[in-house]
């Protein structure tokens, strides 16, 4: 354990409408997605990732990206990023009025091939025109690095590979990096090892951690990240989600569980936990699997 003073304030990036829903096999009505996002809006997030402008063949669930994005109320003080894999996605996103995007690659070649049919190098090359368009339009860009702590196909992922991909994304000009444990295998020692390596190439306030809770280590990993000075964490309301290209992936770290821990530790987020619970309760009947948030279950048992 390091003796670092923990951050007093954290930005929670709500990824439920995108990461939480993309793996749902039953298509959810567009109106239900919009209502879910409106309820999240009431919780006061600074960032809500609302959808993906990816190939509808790859992710049929998010084929309604333009309708969802256009319908969502844009609260002042909140940004609404969307995933964009290529130039075609960027054109669709800009046409819908998007002001913040996320590009995504991985630290493992095998996963990148399965997810976006490219090598890591090809994915970076595909982002170059996207970055140019973003810069020209003043659109902010987050870069996701999936499978940073382990890969469903190749197993171990070396921290050097993560740093190498991170450097390439930084060279490309991304504003923020989100380091993803896509299949929920990370343990805190890996976080303690990786974060200082990344902090040597990027300011800490540009680094986000993105955990899945597949094996119950997500909050322990958050604590390790906090101790290393990380102040941005991704999570999904209710713990929805799982990546379609990550077999066995359970949900994202649940926003409720993350908020409960942070608030209990005296770390401010600006987010209303009860309002997140309300959004999850709205979403639950639209999903094919029960939501996994422990906090949500606890309050549902007592109310
Ligand atoms: N939006 C809409 N359609 C798109 C698109 C986009 N961003 N990118 C490609 N397409 C369409 C093409 O028009 C083409 O359609 P057609 O067959 O009717 O002509 C088809 O998709 C295939 O395009 P191609 O360029 O050959 O791409 P691909 O099949 O190799 O797929 C990706 C590459 C990246 C577009 C696709 O794999 C993808 O969108 N993956 C996203 C995966 C994801 O979101 N994972 C979860 C996040 S971690
Ligand atoms: Zn994820």
């Amino acid at each position: 354990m390091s003796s670092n003073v923990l951050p007093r304030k954290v930005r929670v990036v709500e990824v439920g409408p995108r990461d939480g829903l993309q793996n749902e096999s039953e298509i959810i009505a567009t109106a239900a997605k919009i209502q879910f996002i409106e309820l999240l809006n009431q919780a006061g997030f600074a960032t809500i990732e609302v959808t993906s402008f990816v190939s509808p063949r790859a992710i049929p669930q998010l084929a309604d990206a333009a309708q969802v994005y256009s319908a969502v109320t844009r609260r002042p003080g909140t940004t609404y990023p969307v995933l964009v894999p290529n130039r075609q996605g960027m054109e669709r996103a800009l046409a819908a009025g998007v002001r913040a995007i996320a590009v995504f690659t991985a630290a493992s070649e095998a996963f990148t091939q399965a997810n976006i049919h490219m090598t890591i190098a090809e994915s970076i090359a595909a982002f170059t025109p996207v970055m140019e368009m973003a810069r020209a339009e003043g659109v902010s860009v987050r870069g996701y690095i999936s499978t940073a702590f382990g890969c469903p196909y190749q197993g171990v992922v070396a921290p050097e590979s993560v740093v190498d991909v991170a450097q390439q994304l930084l060279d490309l000009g991304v504003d923020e990096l989100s380091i993803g444990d896509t299949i929920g295998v990370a343990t805190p020692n890996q976080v303690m090892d990786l974060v200082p390596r990344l902090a040597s190439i990027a300011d800490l306030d540009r680094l986000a951690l993105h955990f899945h809770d597949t094996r119950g280590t997500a909050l322990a990993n958050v604590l390790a990240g906090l101790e290393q000075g990380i102040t941005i964490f991704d999570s999904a309301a209710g713990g929805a989600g799982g990546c379609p290209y990550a077999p066995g992936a359970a949900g994202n770290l649940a926003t409720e569980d993350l908020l409960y821990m942070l608030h209990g530790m005296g770390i401010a987020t600006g987010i209303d936990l009860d309002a997140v619970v309300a959004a999850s309760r709205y979403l639950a009947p639209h999903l094919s699997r029960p939501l996994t948030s422990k906090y949500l279950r606890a309050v549902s048992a007592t109310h």
Side-chain angles (χ1 to χ4, degrees), residues 96-290:
V98 164
R99 303 302 304 151
I101 64 161
V103 296
F104 53 102
T105 186
S108 117
E109 285 293 354
F111 184 82
T112 312
Q113 198 59 245
N115 192 27
I116 52 178
H117 314 152
M118 298 177 208
T119 63
I120 295 172
E122 284 166 351
S123 73
I124 304 278
F127 300 151
T128 306
V130 172
M131 285 298 309
E132 283 165 6
M133 292 162 81
R135 212 167 291 141
E137 301 286 338
V139 166
S140 72
V141 183
R142 164 181 253 217
Y144 276 106
I145 304 178
S146 299
T147 62
F149 300 91
C151 168
Y153 307 110
Q154 73 177 47
V156 174
V157 173
E160 290 82 2
S161 313
V162 183
V163 174
D164 181 48
V165 176
Q167 186 64 63
Q168 293 183 57
L169 288 171
L170 291 167
D171 291 346
L172 212 58
V174 300
D175 301 288
E176 182 175 298
L177 284 170
S178 176
I179 309 302
D181 182 20
T182 314
I183 55 169
V185 290
T187 49
N189 56 308
Q190 287 180 282
V191 178
M192 288 182 237
D193 176 41
L194 184 58
V195 170
R197 293 174 192 253
L198 292 167
S200 71
I201 62 166
D203 290 341
L204 274 172
D205 63 4
R206 294 170 67 193
L207 290 174
L209 292 175
H210 177 114
F211 294 117
H212 284 244
D213 206 21
T214 321
R215 291 165 184 78
T217 53
L219 281 179
N221 292 329
V222 168
L223 183 57
L226 289 168
E227 287 179 338
Q228 301 295 327
I230 296 286
T231 57
I232 314 168
F233 293 93
D234 300 355
S235 62
C243 176
Y245 299 96
N252 287 267
L253 167 59
T255 305
E256 292 93 326
D257 300 0
L258 175 62
L259 293 178
Y260 177 77
M261 184 179 90
L262 293 174
H263 295 171
M265 294 172 74
I267 299 172
T269 65
I271 300 160
D272 178 352
L273 175 51
D274 291 340
V276 179
V277 168
S280 292
R281 284 189 174 142
Y282 172 79
L283 179 67
H286 296 278
L287 299 177
S288 55
R289 291 171 296 184

